[in-house]
Amino acid sequence: MDDALCFANGSATNIETNSVWYTWICDEPGELVFTLTPSNETDDLDFVVYELPNGINDCSGKRVLRCMASGDFAYPSRCMGPTGLRIGERDNDEPAGCNLGRQNSFLSPLDMEAGVAYALAINNFTSTNNGLSIEFGGTGTFSGPEANFTLDAS
């Protein structure tokens, strides 16, 4: 995440320390939205969405598509709590802090393309290690294994 300008914000102290990465390949193209909700409502979650042009197992050459680093030190704040990609949002990045009036911890949806690999890197800046939940939505789909089983009602 050190390659995401909004995350680093020019400071060597804003580094990835409590992170988790998710990768996927888009099956059906369409819009991707998601909400990350911290288990501890006062946590400051940051995230970066990347395109992986060299495939799902190769992060070299990754491109930043969305970058969220909004956060605050006083709760409640519009820059703490749930974050993600949301319909109706227009910005693709929000810098560290909560100093701009447009900051609200949500970015514009991502238009995924079929066959393209993506990564979502999430960092808990507050370092409480309490976890989070993810809710995905939108019209785009993830590729994955197809269920192949038969039910026997007898």
Side-chain angles (χ1 to χ4, degrees), residues 30-85:
E31 198 169 63
L32 172 68
V33 295
F34 60 79
T35 300
L36 309 174
T37 303
S39 298
N40 178 352
E41 65 184 1
T42 64
D43 279 358
D44 172 13
L45 299 178
D46 299 323
F47 69 88
V48 181
V49 179
Y50 294 97
E51 179 181 335
L52 304 176
N54 298 317
I56 199 163
N57 295 316
D58 186 348
C59 284
S60 67
K62 64 187 182 297
R63 294 183 330 129
V64 174
L65 301 177
R66 301 288 184 277
C67 188
M68 170 56 65
S70 284
D72 213 334
F73 293 103
Y75 184 83
S77 168
R78 70 183 187 278
C79 296
M80 295 180 78
T83 185
L85 305 181

Side-chain angles (χ1 to χ4, degrees), residues 1-151:
M1 292 171 70
D2 58 351
D3 57 350
L5 295 179
C6 86
F7 188 80
N9 203 32
S11 171
T13 60
N14 289 340
I15 58 172
E16 179 181 1
T17 55
N18 303 290
S19 65
V20 61
W21 286 68
Y22 298 93
T23 59
W24 68 91
I25 297 172
C26 174
D27 183 31
E28 294 292 326
E31 198 169 63
L32 172 68
V33 295
F34 60 79
T35 300
L36 309 174
T37 303
S39 298
N40 178 352
E41 65 184 1
T42 64
D43 279 358
D44 172 13
L45 299 178
D46 299 323
F47 69 88
V48 181
V49 179
Y50 294 97
E51 179 181 335
L52 304 176
N54 298 317
I56 199 163
N57 295 316
D58 186 348
C59 284
S60 67
K62 64 187 182 297
R63 294 183 330 129
V64 174
L65 301 177
R66 301 288 184 277
C67 188
M68 170 56 65
S70 284
D72 213 334
F73 293 103
Y75 184 83
S77 168
R78 70 183 187 278
C79 296
M80 295 180 78
T83 185
L85 305 181
R86 182 168 63 189
I87 293 172
E89 298 297 330
R90 296 177 189 214
D91 48 349
N92 292 333
D93 62 80
E94 289 189 9
C98 194
N99 303 318
L100 303 176
R102 70 176 171 89
Q103 288 179 277
N104 66 358
S105 291
F106 282 90
L107 300 176
S108 63
L110 180 69
D111 289 321
M112 295 193 301
E113 298 177 34
V116 174
Y118 298 92
L120 169 62
I122 305 167
N123 188 69
N124 185 333
F125 181 79
T126 348
S127 306
T128 63
N129 298 319
N130 283 324
L132 63 118
S133 64
I134 304 174
E135 182 179 332
F136 290 101
T139 58
T141 62
F142 304 138
S143 67
E146 292 188 27
N148 185 10
F149 55 88
T150 306
L151 293 176

